[in-house]
Amino acid sequence: MINLYDILKIANGQLFGEPAANLFTDFCLDAQNVGENQLFVALRTDRGDTHQYIEEAIQNGISGVLCVDPPTCDTTNVSVLMVNDTVDALLLWSQHTLKKLQVETIAVIGSSGKSASVDAITHVLKNKYETLAGNIDIAGKLSIPLSLIHLTAEHDYVVLKLAPAIPGEMDDMIEAVNPKIAVLMNIDCVHPATFEDCKQYTDEQAKLLRAIPPDGLVIINYDDNHTRALSNRVQAGVRVRTVSIDRFGADIFAFNVKVGIERIGFDLRYDGERYVARWSPILGKHHLYGLLAAIQIADFADIDIEDALKSLTELASLSGRMALLEGVNGCVLIDDSFAASFASTMAALDWLDEVHHDGQRTILVLGDMDNLGINSRNAHRTIGQRASDFVDYIITQGVESALSGRAAIDSGMNISHVTTTYSTQDVISALKDLKLTQQDIVLVKGGLQTGMERTVAALLKNPDDIQRLVRQETLQQDDMPLLRPSWVEIDADALASNVQIIRQNLADDVSLMAVVKADAYGHGAVLVARTALGNGAEYLGVASMAEAVELRDAGIRAPILVLTYAPAESARQAHQLDITLTVFDLEQANLYDRMARTVTGKLKVHIKLDTGMGRLGIFVDDAIRAFRHLQTLNNLEIEGIYTHFSSADEDFEYTSHQVEDFRMGIRPLRAAGINVKYTHAANSPATIANANNHFNLVRPGLILYGLEPSEKTPLWDKMRPVLSWKTKVLQVKHFPSGHPIGYGRTYHTRGNETIAILPVGYADGFRRAPNTWEYVLIHGQKAPIVGRVSMEKCAVKVTHIKDIRAGDEVVLLGQQGDEHISAEMIANWLNTSNYEVVTNIIPRVPRR
Ligand SMILES: *Cc1c(COP(=O)(O)O)cnc(C)c1O
């Protein structure tokens, strides 16, 4: 229970208006998810301010509000308490509550395995004491008050995880909870990105050890070099105990450890005494340290060691932490989807290596590990290398874990056993392709933000088991720090489904070439290429050798056609990398042929005919002569012939003339003794307009991305845009009437106006002249651009938008609430095409 007047007093708060309820059952952080008698806490973090959601929380039935600034909405019948800082207030409340109820605190710290330890310790203490487990799944200070809500005077102990999210937080945490017992699990030097280096991270953890009072207890992992070195950081007189697996130097250690697929068995040596074999239903050696710590704490709290050992045989697995589930077709499914530090991912792999037996296929499904900053790339590579030691198949999901897949291939893993994807849907279809059986063991692991539990859910044999998966708290929505001021979000599921829809509209003998030139129209070439290939495309089209090489470097093996120019000097490289070139001129064909003299086999080319586009290509009238000549070039393999339409989006008649000319142009091919595999012509509008344009391969670009070629050639049903472009409000300012805004003072405020400054400008592709966007979206409302767009910034008018603050999300392209801005609308504003809108978002804007 949370008493309003407790917080009022201890946090030096101030009531706003008449209070209504004064007792609350829980804190509420998500205005969309309000329970009975809850207190909404408005939080200000570097990611935004939930003050703006107070009104929504009230509408959803909140009983009280804790905030910093006075709310601007109607608060009748709701208690509103204002404090200097909401998180500080909650910490003071935590401190007060622990003191008042006289409950002892046990704090568990370290890089991984904290939740399992909290669980084991709680379980053992319950032999004799009322104990509360504080297993709240968020890092940082807030986890403390959230853990203490259900604390009562009946409790003797509370076991908390302390995970400082930024340097310095540990001090505040210690002050709030005053722990008597500390358990230090391990220290992973691949630390969170918010810490400068391993030393800073280690020092932060060590603060807790120093804070333990002389009548307290510190338990340290003896097998971890970093933690062992910290045993001297405690105050004089504090009892320090070490736990270990197999090391005689430790005070308490497990030996004869038997790692099984369902449980772990061990003998125990405690202060020189030996206790025999116990099994505990936990998975992974790394979780054994938590059990050993629990036994030590039991002894400290006068619980018999045999009793403690016995209760450890009854542990239940925690959701998402090496939880054993039954998967489809009876496969063994290990759900480790709760979170992924480097250490916990490594430990999960070590476990898998140890338990799998011959004849069993091991499959690793890996999402990006949690925010590791500069360590991330190396960490992901190392995981891939480790996996390649024994794993049979790797399926990755996301940009970072793609590096793990790549590293596994570089370490010798068969490329066809590594699948790189960017969406849940593609992971699931890759798993389907593996035709899982009882002989398979699938480990699903990934960071908080990758939501790998969705994959686990799709793999369950028994749908009811879905209740055993980790729940995604709303707080995790957007945990990425904003290194760049604006970003592009790619909906890989939308992309996958667009490709499938295109595929469904093609006859069986028509192949699909996904055109991914210009970094896949600004969507990210590698991601798009892989997703398209995974969903029905067979061929890729690019504009240059550089683009083709980028795809090969990423490990993509599918055929690639360079649609524009490749210099003759690159012909040998093209052959070596199996890249197909375009021949649009005989002199160029001669050069290619000459360069290809020294290769074994032939250089693959497609011939391009000009049937009225008036750009690259051989005229139809010259085709016969050209074919005869090409036939004499022995080092070229003519794999295809194509043409390009100039007006397929608007003039169907002209297009049909081009089709006829093309048919005429290719007729003499056979006579010249040339048999091509592919004949193709259709870009996006031509693909949609008429199956007569398809020949036996189509080359759509635009529609892959859910963009509409023209009103005359509307997208097929259910196709949807893939790209959104977003930023955040940088500053909100109130201007008096007549104040100039931006370079050249082209706009003056017309009354008291609120203006929001956004960190996006023409250098990002947010065009300045002659026209720019009419408006962007904030809080689901239109905010018109005012003044000139600068290189890095622009200004929007937000006078009419309530409670707007720095950090609020802004949509430049995409959906927000009921409003949306499409690439087509922007094209209209800029007097250009949707093609140009998306390709102008420059690559320095990161793709997520
Ligand atoms: C870009 C391009 C395409 C794809 O055009 P969309 O209109 O985006 O479908 C197809 N063929 C060639 C030769 C291209 O250059």
Side-chain angles (χ1 to χ4, degrees):
M1 277 293 177
I2 305 147
N3 189 323
L4 182 73
Y5 293 98
D6 276 354
I7 305 186
L8 181 71
K9 201 168 95 202
I10 55 189
N12 217 346
Q14 197 185 338
L15 286 168
F16 176 81
E18 283 298 309
N22 57 37
L23 278 181
F24 308 99
T25 52
D26 208 342
F27 298 114
C28 167
L29 304 179
D30 176 3
Q32 289 179 340
N33 206 345
V34 173
E36 235 173 275
N37 295 324
Q38 290 189 347
L39 178 67
F40 180 72
V41 182
L43 291 172
R44 194 181 281 179
T45 68
D46 55 352
R47 270 175 267 120
D49 190 341
T50 59
H51 188 92
Q52 56 183 294
Y53 303 125
I54 291 177
E55 185 166 9
E56 192 178 345
I58 292 174
Q59 276 159 9
N60 290 335
I62 203 77
S63 302
V65 171
L66 185 68
C67 54
V68 175
D69 297 323
T72 49
C73 55
D74 180 15
T75 59
T76 357
N77 298 327
V78 177
S79 304
V80 178
L81 177 56
M82 298 193 315
V83 292
N84 269 333
D85 181 306
T86 46
V87 176
D88 283 353
L90 295 190
L91 284 186
L92 286 167
W93 173 83
S94 305
Q95 187 187 38
H96 168 86
T97 305
L98 283 166
K99 249 192 217 139
K100 188 176 78 180
L101 303 178
Q102 295 190 355
V103 179
E104 258 350 322
T105 307
I106 299 171
V108 180
I109 57 172
S111 298
S112 66
K114 293 187 288 294
S115 305
S117 297
V118 168
D119 195 51
I121 294 166
T122 308
H123 209 79
V124 164
L125 283 175
K126 278 184 173 169
N127 268 303
K128 198 164 170 181
Y129 304 98
E130 286 297 324
T131 308
L132 179 72
N135 254 336
I136 294 289
D137 291 339
I138 60 172
K141 297 190 270 193
L142 260 185
S143 68
I144 294 174
L146 296 182
S147 298
L148 296 181
I149 285 158
H150 301 295
L151 198 70
T152 66
E154 257 81 82
H155 284 115
D156 304 297
Y157 286 98
V158 58
V159 193
L160 297 173
K161 293 188 286 191
L162 300 189
I166 52 170
E169 253 186 1
M170 187 63 98
D171 298 314
D172 300 340
M173 293 175 152
I174 292 168
E175 199 179 324
V177 303
N178 231 334
K180 182 159 178 197
I181 299 176
V183 179
L184 174 54
M185 295 294 296
N186 47 40
I187 287 182
D188 176 5
C189 265
V190 186
H191 51 82
T194 40
F195 289 85
E196 255 170 47
D197 51 26
C198 194
K199 180 171 182 308
Q200 191 188 40
Y201 180 67
T202 308
D203 287 346
E204 183 79 6
Q205 306 284 336
K207 283 174 182 171
L208 178 73
L209 307 186
R210 171 144 306 270
I212 300 302
D215 61 340
L217 169 69
V218 166
I219 300 173
I220 283 178
N221 180 343
Y222 190 72
D223 298 341
D224 177 316
N225 293 336
H226 294 106
T227 57
R228 198 173 53 232
L230 294 180
S231 47
N232 57 3
R233 299 256 189 127
V234 300
Q235 293 181 39
V238 173
R239 197 170 144 93
V240 179
R241 302 281 284 170
T242 51
V243 296
S244 162
I245 298 173
D246 286 337
R247 288 215 203 189
F248 269 94
D251 300 312
I252 161 171
F253 66 94
F255 62 105
N256 286 339
V257 177
K258 290 177 199 67
V259 178
I261 210 152
E262 293 179 345
R263 52 189 191 164
I264 198 162
F266 61 97
D267 290 339
L268 178 75
R269 191 173 282 266
Y270 188 94
D271 282 346
E273 266 199 69
R274 191 186 149 151
Y275 297 80
V276 281
R278 294 289 180 167
W279 287 95
S280 182
I282 59 157
L283 308 185
K285 247 184 189 168
H286 54 304
H287 287 163
L288 199 48
Y289 295 102
L291 268 54
L292 298 176
I295 295 164
Q296 173 61 68
I297 288 172
D299 189 30
F300 188 79
D302 291 328
I303 295 170
D304 188 64
I305 290 184
E306 283 291 353
D307 291 344
L309 276 167
K310 185 160 175 300
S311 58
L312 289 177
T313 62
E314 299 149 3
L315 284 179
S317 71
L318 292 174
S319 303
R321 291 147 179 112
M322 300 294 285
L324 176 68
L325 296 163
E326 191 176 1
V328 285
N329 304 333
C331 75
V332 178
L333 180 58
I334 306 298
D335 173 15
D336 205 23
S337 61
F338 162 62
S341 64
F342 176 74
S344 70
T345 309
M346 216 39 151
L349 281 174
D350 288 343
W351 174 84
L352 187 59
D353 194 7
E354 196 159 356
V355 298
H356 84 280
H357 55 74
D358 291 344
Q360 203 173 25
R361 290 195 303 181
T362 52
I363 298 149
L364 170 66
V365 179
L366 181 68
D368 292 355
M369 290 188 282
D370 286 314
N371 182 24
L372 298 171
I374 53 164
N375 294 318
S376 183
R377 295 173 67 85
N378 270 334
H380 281 91
R381 284 213 182 83
T382 308
I383 292 298
Q385 281 157 7
R386 174 72 182 98
S388 73
D389 291 344
F390 70 97
V391 168
D392 295 303
Y393 293 88
I394 300 180
I395 300 167
T396 64
Q397 177 185 333
V399 176
E400 299 284 291
S401 57
L403 294 170
S404 306
R406 191 71 213 146
I409 295 167
D410 291 344
S411 316
M413 202 161 157
N414 184 334
I415 190 163
S416 66
H417 288 204
V418 177
T419 311
T420 312
T421 80
Y422 301 89
S423 72
T424 309
Q425 195 180 322
D426 284 352
V427 170
I428 291 163
S429 74
L431 281 164
K432 261 196 200 124
D433 290 345
L434 289 179
K435 304 210 165 36
L436 299 171
T437 72
Q438 282 177 335
Q439 285 305 307
D440 294 325
I441 173 163
V442 184
L443 169 67
V444 183
K445 178 85 184 161
L448 285 169
Q449 339 203 356
T450 52
M452 298 304 286
E453 69 280 359
R454 283 174 299 195
T455 305
V456 177
L459 284 175
L460 291 173
K461 177 166 188 182
N462 177 2
D464 289 346
D465 278 349
I466 212 152
Q467 296 159 8
R468 299 172 59 190
L469 309 190
V470 272
R471 252 174 274 116
Q472 288 290 292
E473 267 106 13
T474 31
L475 263 182
Q476 298 163 4
Q477 278 164 3
D478 185 16
D479 269 334
M480 294 282 280
L482 265 188
L483 299 180
R484 308 275 184 150
S486 81
W487 68 97
V488 159
E489 287 177 8
I490 299 296
D491 181 350
D493 281 324
L495 178 67
S497 126
N498 291 344
V499 177
Q500 287 170 14
I501 292 169
I502 298 171
R503 189 56 260 178
Q504 284 156 17
N505 279 283
L506 302 177
D508 288 344
D509 59 348
V510 177
S511 299
L512 174 60
M513 174 189 291
V515 176
V516 296
K517 65 191 179 194
D519 200 27
Y521 295 36
H523 291 61
V526 175
L527 179 156
V528 170
R530 285 226 176 84
T531 307
L533 291 169
N535 289 281
E538 291 156 51
Y539 221 119
L540 299 169
V542 298
S544 65
M545 274 298 287
E547 292 183 348
V549 170
E550 183 195 347
L551 297 175
R552 285 286 180 258
D553 274 352
I556 291 172
R557 294 290 170 99
I560 302 176
L561 174 64
V562 178
L563 295 163
T564 313
Y565 169 70
E569 291 81 349
S570 64
R572 276 200 284 270
Q573 188 190 19
H575 177 266
Q576 187 197 7
L577 296 176
D578 192 24
I579 293 166
T580 312
L581 303 182
T582 292
V583 163
F584 48 82
D585 158 291
L586 293 184
E587 193 43 45
Q588 175 211 19
N590 292 341
L591 287 173
Y592 282 168
D593 186 60
R594 201 171 312 146
M595 292 303 288
R597 256 182 343 217
T598 55
V599 307
T600 36
K602 296 182 174 195
L603 174 67
K604 267 198 256 167
V605 297
H606 286 206
I607 308 169
K608 184 165 189 184
L609 296 185
D610 184 353
T611 57
M613 170 79 182
R615 232 170 45 181
L616 285 183
I618 297 167
F619 281 126
V620 172
D621 289 346
D622 301 335
I624 299 178
R625 198 172 56 86
F627 296 157
R628 286 209 189 103
H629 177 74
L630 287 169
Q631 203 218 354
T632 65
L633 302 179
N634 291 325
N635 302 311
L636 301 186
E637 176 194 336
I638 301 173
E639 188 203 45
I641 182 156
Y642 71 103
T643 190
H644 196 41
F645 297 128
S646 67
S647 335
D649 55 339
E650 50 187 19
D651 191 339
F652 296 159
E653 204 182 314
Y654 188 77
T655 305
S656 70
H657 284 309
Q658 280 194 275
V659 168
E660 266 168 47
D661 281 358
F662 185 48
R663 283 193 200 285
M664 226 160 58
I666 59 183
R667 212 166 285 146
L669 265 182
R670 193 146 311 144
I674 300 173
N675 257 325
V676 298
K677 184 169 174 198
Y678 296 111
T679 309
H680 49 112
N683 56 2
S684 292
T687 303
I688 288 193
N690 195 338
N692 203 32
N693 303 332
H694 290 184
F695 296 89
N696 73 355
L697 182 144
V698 294
R699 305 188 307 265
L702 198 69
I703 57 176
L704 302 171
Y705 313 107
L707 301 174
E708 187 146 277
S710 71
E711 275 172 25
K712 274 187 147 177
T713 52
L715 290 172
W716 281 310
D717 203 24
K718 297 220 167 74
M719 293 181 85
R720 56 188 206 269
V722 170
L723 180 148
S724 314
W725 188 10
K726 298 179 180 176
T727 184
K728 291 198 172 183
V729 173
L730 200 57
Q731 192 180 24
V732 180
K733 291 171 77 172
H734 305 286
F735 287 96
S737 189
H739 200 288
I741 306 289
Y743 281 122
R745 290 173 289 139
T746 57
Y747 178 82
H748 288 79
T749 50
R750 300 159 191 168
N752 287 332
E753 283 186 1
T754 310
I755 301 286
I757 312 300
L758 313 181
V760 60
Y762 58 79
D764 301 293
F766 194 76
R767 192 201 271 180
R768 184 201 119 168
N771 309 328
T772 184
W773 269 236
E774 269 180 21
Y775 55 81
V776 300
L777 302 176
I778 308 178
H779 294 196
Q781 295 177 61
K782 298 175 185 173
I785 312 284
V786 291
R788 255 185 217 160
V789 173
S790 315
M791 190 185 287
E792 322 279 356
K793 287 168 219 63
C794 68
V796 294
K797 189 154 81 176
V798 294
T799 316
H800 57 295
I801 303 178
K802 252 171 113 180
D803 291 336
I804 187 162
R805 273 162 202 271
D808 290 355
E809 190 166 281
V810 182
V811 167
L812 309 170
L813 195 180
Q815 180 95 26
Q816 194 183 54
D818 297 332
E819 289 283 346
H820 81 283
I821 298 177
S822 68
E824 289 76 22
M825 288 160 70
I826 298 166
N828 235 337
W829 297 336
L830 304 185
N831 195 14
T832 179
S833 65
N834 45 6
Y835 292 83
E836 197 181 333
V837 172
V838 289
T839 49
N840 275 2
I841 306 170
I842 67 151
R844 78 164 184 177
V845 177
R847 269 68 179 162
R848 281 195 191 161

